[in-house]
Amino acid sequence: MSQQESPKREKDETLRSREVTEGPERAPHRAMFRAMGFDDEDLSSPMVGIANPAADITPCNVHLDDVAGAALDGVDAAGGMPIEFGTITISDAISMGTEGMKASLISREVIADSVELVAFGERMDALVTVAGCDKNLPGMLMAAIRTDLPSVFLYGGSIMPGQHDGRDVTIVQVFEGVGAYAQGEMSAEELDDLERHACPGAGSCGGMFTANTMASISEALGMAPLGSASAPAEHPERYEVAERAGELALEVVEADRKPSDILSRESFENAIAVQTAIGGSTNGVLHLLALAAEAGIDLDIDDFDEISRRTPKIADLQPGGQSVMNDLHEIGGVPVVIRRLLDAGLIHGDAMTVTGRTIAEELAELDLPADEDIDADFLYTVDEPKQAEGAIKILKGNLAPDGAVLKVTGDDKFHHEGPARIFENEEDAMAYVQEGHIESGDVIVIRNEGPKGGPGMREMLGVTAAVVGAGHEDDVALLTDGRFSGGTRGPMIGHVAPEAFVGGPIAALEEGDEITVDIPNRTLEVDLSDEELDARLADWEQPEPAYDSGVLAKYGMLFDSAANGAVTNPGVKRND
């Protein structure tokens, strides 16, 4: 019998893609698919979208065509109809310190919107969401939650560390080198050599910065298989993970296992526990709040502090320590951290995962080294942790009634009092530091960089790294309504809410005001009475928006408070 005469396999009636592949009235639609090489067998199979943000704009994403290709092979081998499509990415590291960084958080929303649109418009049955650079990860997870299609999250993997002066280095050391050079502590020749060796190939930044934090969190949430986060970008294991993700996509669509079947209050508590235990990025707070809002799950910024107080920090990775994601991979990856937390009763072992098994069942399936055989100087036990509490702290007080976020990378008993040095944008603060004006005891305040005021809530690794590079990691604090990179270290407080642009107390600060940062008591205060603050705010006038047209103006109007995840989806739950 010829191919044209062969009987067509009946498509599962529950599949949404039937709307574009079945019946005589869909002949034009099938003709379009046939133009792309799809045949009858494909058209009778589940349609699995592979969302791929590959780009030559960042090493985080430069290899993602190959990663997505391996996932496509997995879908195809498992009997699915893989359809790859693209979306955007912004390189946080390349836009850092420039006006372009305002686009970063907006890109999270655009990625989520674009993947949702393609999946909706083309009537897809399932998704494999591929991610590299920082905002790719929450954007892809948000899209999966919004569509509520059977989905598998696939990380592109991290870069290997570079070598400089006999030690492992990452991009963060280059940013800190800029500060050291400005202070005369590093020569131009050494900075040049560091620049040339810090980033040896493809992959997301290697420390426990935002991308690796979110990849680790994706396992704890159950949206990615346990053990899938840590394989380096250019390692053969990364492509095995990718192919398995494609195969798993067919399993989840056949089981009709959706994000709403996986995500729960317990899975978000697991994610926060892992974030705090590994010293993960402060951006994880923002993104988990956004993901929970998309999923309709009650999660409040105070939950992060509550969970961090009971969860010790047991992994000492960059930026706080010296080790990188590949070091964690070599001893078993994120599951070895989850196992220690589970054994201590700090993880909900019965939380569901994308495989259809619980966290505890998944751990039992993995071929991990025995816990007592793991010998790594960066991994601690729960009984003898690096720090008794997790790395994430939520500070409140008359400067941040809705909260501010700090990641402890040094002394968790830090207490600081000093005069405010006020800057209305990142550039002016950077110039102040680079020109050598910074003094011990200063509290650098950068405002009007929040979700609405920036707009876009710029990350400020350039400034924070310059402060550290100038030798002020422990004696200068910095606070902002903007954000920090996961690579930031030192007493840097971000996400101050309400932000200055909407009249938050940070807008009332004046040069020289005495500010107190108290980590043990979780307070962020200015030495002013409520009456003085109110009087200043009564005289405050909202500045004109920085942009009056285009994408920045649009998202500036849409962004919600950082305390709610800076979401833009009008239908999500907000913690008002």
Side-chain angles (χ1 to χ4, degrees), residues 283-315:
N283 284 306
V285 176
L286 193 78
H287 300 323
L288 280 171
L289 286 169
L291 292 172
E294 296 281 357
I297 290 170
D298 250 341
L299 195 70
D300 185 86
I301 196 168
D302 293 327
D303 292 323
F304 289 82
D305 200 69
E306 179 185 336
I307 293 169
S308 187
R309 285 179 185 271
R310 67 176 185 245
T311 308
K313 181 182 177 183
I314 61 172

mmCIF file of all heavy atoms in Angstrom, residues 283-315:
data_model
loop_
_atom_site.group_PDB
_atom_site.id
_atom_site.type_symbol
_atom_site.label_atom_id
_atom_site.label_comp_id
_atom_site.label_asym_id
_atom_site.label_seq_id
_atom_site.Cartn_x
_atom_site.Cartn_y
_atom_site.Cartn_z
ATOM 1 N N ASN A 283 16.938 37.396 43.542
ATOM 2 C CA ASN A 283 15.952 37.396 42.470
ATOM 3 C C ASN A 283 14.985 36.219 42.584
ATOM 4 O O ASN A 283 13.866 36.279 42.064
ATOM 5 C CB ASN A 283 16.640 37.362 41.108
ATOM 6 C CG ASN A 283 17.230 38.708 40.739
ATOM 7 O OD1 ASN A 283 16.544 39.721 40.737
ATOM 8 N ND2 ASN A 283 18.520 38.734 40.442
ATOM 9 N N GLY A 284 15.420 35.157 43.255
ATOM 10 C CA GLY A 284 14.528 34.029 43.473
ATOM 11 C C GLY A 284 13.281 34.426 44.245
ATOM 12 O O GLY A 284 12.202 33.857 44.042
ATOM 13 N N VAL A 285 13.402 35.414 45.136
ATOM 14 C CA VAL A 285 12.238 35.899 45.881
ATOM 15 C C VAL A 285 11.250 36.521 44.909
ATOM 16 O O VAL A 285 10.051 36.192 44.916
ATOM 17 C CB VAL A 285 12.659 36.928 46.953
ATOM 18 C CG1 VAL A 285 11.436 37.504 47.651
ATOM 19 C CG2 VAL A 285 13.615 36.299 47.961
ATOM 20 N N LEU A 286 11.738 37.420 44.080
ATOM 21 C CA LEU A 286 10.877 38.096 43.116
ATOM 22 C C LEU A 286 10.188 37.098 42.194
ATOM 23 O O LEU A 286 8.980 37.168 41.956
ATOM 24 C CB LEU A 286 11.728 39.070 42.293
ATOM 25 C CG LEU A 286 10.977 40.080 41.443
ATOM 26 C CD1 LEU A 286 10.453 41.215 42.312
ATOM 27 C CD2 LEU A 286 11.892 40.637 40.356
ATOM 28 N N HIS A 287 10.963 36.139 41.680
ATOM 29 C CA HIS A 287 10.418 35.216 40.688
ATOM 30 C C HIS A 287 9.482 34.185 41.311
ATOM 31 O O HIS A 287 8.462 33.824 40.710
ATOM 32 C CB HIS A 287 11.554 34.524 39.938
ATOM 33 C CG HIS A 287 12.451 35.479 39.198
ATOM 34 N ND1 HIS A 287 11.971 36.608 38.572
ATOM 35 C CD2 HIS A 287 13.796 35.471 38.987
ATOM 36 C CE1 HIS A 287 12.981 37.256 38.007
ATOM 37 N NE2 HIS A 287 14.087 36.590 38.250
ATOM 38 N N LEU A 288 9.784 33.702 42.499
ATOM 39 C CA LEU A 288 8.872 32.751 43.145
ATOM 40 C C LEU A 288 7.544 33.418 43.507
ATOM 41 O O LEU A 288 6.482 32.800 43.387
ATOM 42 C CB LEU A 288 9.525 32.144 44.386
ATOM 43 C CG LEU A 288 10.517 31.016 44.121
ATOM 44 C CD1 LEU A 288 11.274 30.643 45.388
ATOM 45 C CD2 LEU A 288 9.814 29.783 43.547
ATOM 46 N N LEU A 289 7.601 34.674 43.930
ATOM 47 C CA LEU A 289 6.352 35.397 44.185
ATOM 48 C C LEU A 289 5.531 35.515 42.910
ATOM 49 O O LEU A 289 4.305 35.357 42.920
ATOM 50 C CB LEU A 289 6.657 36.787 44.753
ATOM 51 C CG LEU A 289 7.129 36.834 46.216
ATOM 52 C CD1 LEU A 289 7.659 38.220 46.554
ATOM 53 C CD2 LEU A 289 6.000 36.458 47.170
ATOM 54 N N ALA A 290 6.207 35.781 41.790
ATOM 55 C CA ALA A 290 5.505 35.893 40.511
ATOM 56 C C ALA A 290 4.926 34.550 40.082
ATOM 57 O O ALA A 290 3.781 34.468 39.615
ATOM 58 C CB ALA A 290 6.450 36.440 39.440
ATOM 59 N N LEU A 291 5.700 33.479 40.235
ATOM 60 C CA LEU A 291 5.222 32.149 39.858
ATOM 61 C C LEU A 291 4.026 31.735 40.704
ATOM 62 O O LEU A 291 3.044 31.176 40.195
ATOM 63 C CB LEU A 291 6.346 31.127 40.000
ATOM 64 C CG LEU A 291 7.521 31.248 39.034
ATOM 65 C CD1 LEU A 291 8.636 30.293 39.430
ATOM 66 C CD2 LEU A 291 7.095 30.989 37.595
ATOM 67 N N ALA A 292 4.105 32.008 42.003
ATOM 68 C CA ALA A 292 2.988 31.659 42.883
ATOM 69 C C ALA A 292 1.741 32.461 42.514
ATOM 70 O O ALA A 292 0.623 31.924 42.526
ATOM 71 C CB ALA A 292 3.364 31.913 44.339
ATOM 72 N N ALA A 293 1.934 33.732 42.170
ATOM 73 C CA ALA A 293 0.793 34.549 41.753
ATOM 74 C C ALA A 293 0.157 33.968 40.494
ATOM 75 O O ALA A 293 -1.069 33.871 40.388
ATOM 76 C CB ALA A 293 1.255 35.987 41.506
ATOM 77 N N GLU A 294 0.992 33.566 39.539
ATOM 78 C CA GLU A 294 0.476 32.968 38.305
ATOM 79 C C GLU A 294 -0.284 31.675 38.605
ATOM 80 O O GLU A 294 -1.283 31.360 37.959
ATOM 81 C CB GLU A 294 1.621 32.675 37.325
ATOM 82 C CG GLU A 294 2.377 33.897 36.822
ATOM 83 C CD GLU A 294 1.657 34.653 35.721
ATOM 84 O OE1 GLU A 294 0.571 34.216 35.288
ATOM 85 O OE2 GLU A 294 2.182 35.700 35.281
ATOM 86 N N ALA A 295 0.201 30.925 39.592
ATOM 87 C CA ALA A 295 -0.420 29.635 39.926
ATOM 88 C C ALA A 295 -1.605 29.774 40.878
ATOM 89 O O ALA A 295 -2.271 28.777 41.182
ATOM 90 C CB ALA A 295 0.632 28.710 40.538
ATOM 91 N N GLY A 296 -1.857 30.989 41.372
ATOM 92 C CA GLY A 296 -2.960 31.190 42.305
ATOM 93 C C GLY A 296 -2.709 30.599 43.671
ATOM 94 O O GLY A 296 -3.644 30.213 44.379
ATOM 95 N N ILE A 297 -1.434 30.536 44.053
ATOM 96 C CA ILE A 297 -1.053 29.937 45.336
ATOM 97 C C ILE A 297 -0.642 31.044 46.302
ATOM 98 O O ILE A 297 0.122 31.944 45.955
ATOM 99 C CB ILE A 297 0.088 28.922 45.142
ATOM 100 C CG1 ILE A 297 -0.457 27.695 44.406
ATOM 101 C CG2 ILE A 297 0.725 28.522 46.470
ATOM 102 C CD1 ILE A 297 0.593 26.728 43.952
ATOM 103 N N ASP A 298 -1.160 30.975 47.526
ATOM 104 C CA ASP A 298 -0.847 31.968 48.548
ATOM 105 C C ASP A 298 0.634 31.914 48.901
ATOM 106 O O ASP A 298 1.114 30.909 49.427
ATOM 107 C CB ASP A 298 -1.662 31.672 49.814
ATOM 108 C CG ASP A 298 -2.741 32.709 50.049
ATOM 109 O OD1 ASP A 298 -2.632 33.806 49.480
ATOM 110 O OD2 ASP A 298 -3.695 32.412 50.791
ATOM 111 N N LEU A 299 1.342 32.997 48.630
ATOM 112 C CA LEU A 299 2.744 33.101 49.014
ATOM 113 C C LEU A 299 3.003 34.566 49.287
ATOM 114 O O LEU A 299 2.651 35.430 48.483
ATOM 115 C CB LEU A 299 3.662 32.588 47.902
ATOM 116 C CG LEU A 299 5.114 32.320 48.318
ATOM 117 C CD1 LEU A 299 5.201 31.104 49.237
ATOM 118 C CD2 LEU A 299 6.008 32.112 47.096
ATOM 119 N N ASP A 300 3.630 34.836 50.413
ATOM 120 C CA ASP A 300 3.868 36.206 50.852
ATOM 121 C C ASP A 300 5.363 36.379 51.070
ATOM 122 O O ASP A 300 6.076 35.422 51.388
ATOM 123 C CB ASP A 300 3.085 36.461 52.150
ATOM 124 C CG ASP A 300 3.181 37.907 52.590
ATOM 125 O OD1 ASP A 300 2.375 38.722 52.126
ATOM 126 O OD2 ASP A 300 4.080 38.218 53.395
ATOM 127 N N ILE A 301 5.834 37.613 50.944
ATOM 128 C CA ILE A 301 7.263 37.862 51.124
ATOM 129 C C ILE A 301 7.733 37.438 52.519
ATOM 130 O O ILE A 301 8.876 37.004 52.693
ATOM 131 C CB ILE A 301 7.594 39.345 50.833
ATOM 132 C CG1 ILE A 301 9.105 39.519 50.643
ATOM 133 C CG2 ILE A 301 7.029 40.273 51.897
ATOM 134 C CD1 ILE A 301 9.494 40.858 50.068
ATOM 135 N N ASP A 302 6.848 37.515 53.512
ATOM 136 C CA ASP A 302 7.228 37.099 54.863
ATOM 137 C C ASP A 302 7.486 35.599 54.957
ATOM 138 O O ASP A 302 8.215 35.144 55.854
ATOM 139 C CB ASP A 302 6.144 37.488 55.869
ATOM 140 C CG ASP A 302 6.022 38.995 56.031
ATOM 141 O OD1 ASP A 302 7.048 39.683 55.920
ATOM 142 O OD2 ASP A 302 4.894 39.478 56.256
ATOM 143 N N ASP A 303 6.904 34.825 54.045
ATOM 144 C CA ASP A 303 7.139 33.377 54.051
ATOM 145 C C ASP A 303 8.607 33.056 53.830
ATOM 146 O O ASP A 303 9.122 32.055 54.346
ATOM 147 C CB ASP A 303 6.300 32.689 52.972
ATOM 148 C CG ASP A 303 4.805 32.747 53.268
ATOM 149 O OD1 ASP A 303 4.434 32.633 54.447
ATOM 150 O OD2 ASP A 303 4.020 32.914 52.317
ATOM 151 N N PHE A 304 9.290 33.878 53.042
ATOM 152 C CA PHE A 304 10.706 33.629 52.772
ATOM 153 C C PHE A 304 11.527 33.749 54.044
ATOM 154 O O PHE A 304 12.433 32.947 54.296
ATOM 155 C CB PHE A 304 11.217 34.612 51.712
ATOM 156 C CG PHE A 304 10.684 34.341 50.335
ATOM 157 C CD1 PHE A 304 9.426 34.791 49.960
ATOM 158 C CD2 PHE A 304 11.428 33.618 49.419
ATOM 159 C CE1 PHE A 304 8.915 34.530 48.694
ATOM 160 C CE2 PHE A 304 10.929 33.352 48.153
ATOM 161 C CZ PHE A 304 9.673 33.809 47.790
ATOM 162 N N ASP A 305 11.210 34.749 54.852
ATOM 163 C CA ASP A 305 11.961 34.919 56.083
ATOM 164 C C ASP A 305 11.652 33.811 57.075
ATOM 165 O O ASP A 305 12.548 33.284 57.747
ATOM 166 C CB ASP A 305 11.656 36.281 56.704
ATOM 167 C CG ASP A 305 12.734 36.714 57.681
ATOM 168 O OD1 ASP A 305 13.853 37.001 57.217
ATOM 169 O OD2 ASP A 305 12.472 36.736 58.898
ATOM 170 N N GLU A 306 10.381 33.441 57.159
ATOM 171 C CA GLU A 306 9.992 32.372 58.082
ATOM 172 C C GLU A 306 10.705 31.072 57.732
ATOM 173 O O GLU A 306 11.246 30.378 58.617
ATOM 174 C CB GLU A 306 8.479 32.174 58.019
ATOM 175 C CG GLU A 306 7.963 31.065 58.933
ATOM 176 C CD GLU A 306 6.477 30.813 58.758
ATOM 177 O OE1 GLU A 306 5.761 31.725 58.307
ATOM 178 O OE2 GLU A 306 6.043 29.689 59.059
ATOM 179 N N ILE A 307 10.740 30.727 56.449
ATOM 180 C CA ILE A 307 11.383 29.475 56.024
ATOM 181 C C ILE A 307 12.894 29.582 56.170
ATOM 182 O O ILE A 307 13.573 28.624 56.575
ATOM 183 C CB ILE A 307 10.971 29.120 54.586
ATOM 184 C CG1 ILE A 307 9.474 28.775 54.564
ATOM 185 C CG2 ILE A 307 11.792 27.950 54.041
ATOM 186 C CD1 ILE A 307 8.879 28.656 53.185
ATOM 187 N N SER A 308 13.456 30.755 55.871
ATOM 188 C CA SER A 308 14.894 30.942 56.005
ATOM 189 C C SER A 308 15.347 30.825 57.460
ATOM 190 O O SER A 308 16.437 30.323 57.745
ATOM 191 C CB SER A 308 15.294 32.311 55.445
ATOM 192 O OG SER A 308 16.693 32.459 55.409
ATOM 193 N N ARG A 309 14.524 31.255 58.392
ATOM 194 C CA ARG A 309 14.894 31.170 59.810
ATOM 195 C C ARG A 309 15.025 29.719 60.269
ATOM 196 O O ARG A 309 15.818 29.419 61.168
ATOM 197 C CB ARG A 309 13.852 31.887 60.672
ATOM 198 C CG ARG A 309 13.934 33.406 60.630
ATOM 199 C CD ARG A 309 12.853 34.030 61.501
ATOM 200 N NE ARG A 309 12.804 35.484 61.411
ATOM 201 C CZ ARG A 309 13.517 36.306 62.183
ATOM 202 N NH1 ARG A 309 14.341 35.829 63.089
ATOM 203 N NH2 ARG A 309 13.386 37.620 62.050
ATOM 204 N N ARG A 310 14.254 28.807 59.654
ATOM 205 C CA ARG A 310 14.294 27.415 60.108
ATOM 206 C C ARG A 310 15.151 26.524 59.203
ATOM 207 O O ARG A 310 15.312 25.334 59.490
ATOM 208 C CB ARG A 310 12.882 26.857 60.201
ATOM 209 C CG ARG A 310 12.156 26.689 58.867
ATOM 210 C CD ARG A 310 10.790 26.029 59.075
ATOM 211 N NE ARG A 310 10.093 25.734 57.853
ATOM 212 C CZ ARG A 310 8.946 26.291 57.455
ATOM 213 N NH1 ARG A 310 8.369 27.207 58.224
ATOM 214 N NH2 ARG A 310 8.380 25.946 56.324
ATOM 215 N N THR A 311 15.685 27.094 58.112
ATOM 216 C CA THR A 311 16.460 26.303 57.152
ATOM 217 C C THR A 311 17.905 26.774 57.141
ATOM 218 O O THR A 311 18.193 27.901 56.737
ATOM 219 C CB THR A 311 15.879 26.450 55.732
ATOM 220 O OG1 THR A 311 14.483 26.165 55.749
ATOM 221 C CG2 THR A 311 16.583 25.507 54.765
ATOM 222 N N PRO A 312 18.844 25.959 57.577
ATOM 223 C CA PRO A 312 20.237 26.414 57.600
ATOM 224 C C PRO A 312 20.839 26.506 56.198
ATOM 225 O O PRO A 312 20.396 25.834 55.265
ATOM 226 C CB PRO A 312 20.931 25.322 58.417
ATOM 227 C CG PRO A 312 20.107 24.103 58.203
ATOM 228 C CD PRO A 312 18.686 24.587 58.079
ATOM 229 N N LYS A 313 21.836 27.340 56.074
ATOM 230 C CA LYS A 313 22.599 27.409 54.828
ATOM 231 C C LYS A 313 23.636 26.291 54.854
ATOM 232 O O LYS A 313 24.513 26.255 55.714
ATOM 233 C CB LYS A 313 23.290 28.764 54.691
ATOM 234 C CG LYS A 313 24.086 28.900 53.395
ATOM 235 C CD LYS A 313 24.790 30.237 53.316
ATOM 236 C CE LYS A 313 25.636 30.326 52.055
ATOM 237 N NZ LYS A 313 26.401 31.598 51.985
ATOM 238 N N ILE A 314 23.526 25.372 53.899
ATOM 239 C CA ILE A 314 24.427 24.209 53.916
ATOM 240 C C ILE A 314 25.306 24.112 52.678
ATOM 241 O O ILE A 314 26.155 23.212 52.606
ATOM 242 C CB ILE A 314 23.639 22.886 54.102
ATOM 243 C CG1 ILE A 314 22.653 22.651 52.959
ATOM 244 C CG2 ILE A 314 22.938 22.876 55.454
ATOM 245 C CD1 ILE A 314 22.007 21.263 53.003
ATOM 246 N N ALA A 315 25.134 25.008 51.718
ATOM 247 C CA ALA A 315 26.008 25.013 50.542
ATOM 248 C C ALA A 315 26.680 26.373 50.447
ATOM 249 O O ALA A 315 26.025 27.408 50.531
ATOM 250 C CB ALA A 315 25.219 24.719 49.268
#
